[in-house]
Amino acid sequence: MAHKITDECISCGACAAACPVGAISEGDGKYVVDADACIDCGACEGECPTGAIQAD
């Protein structure tokens, strides 16, 4: 299952830089995960300073 980014996102971009497949991009007010591209590796979770990334 893909990860998702909650409203706790502060749009810092740390998760996008950590994603090995480029599945995270800047959305409207927060970053978003492309579920089709996400390989569920969890690399982004540890990089988020607000804990906004969760396994879906």
Side-chain angles (χ1 to χ4, degrees):
M1 300 192 86
H3 282 69
K4 69 176 184 176
I5 301 175
T6 68
D7 289 340
E8 299 299 315
C9 176
I10 57 171
S11 296
C12 69
C15 58
C19 183
V21 295
I24 302 174
S25 60
E26 192 169 4
D28 186 25
K30 67 178 184 177
Y31 276 71
V32 293
V33 177
D34 178 348
D36 291 331
C38 179
I39 59 172
D40 200 29
C41 67
C44 56
E45 278 186 276
E47 296 298 318
C48 182
T50 63
I53 302 173
Q54 302 172 351
D56 195 20

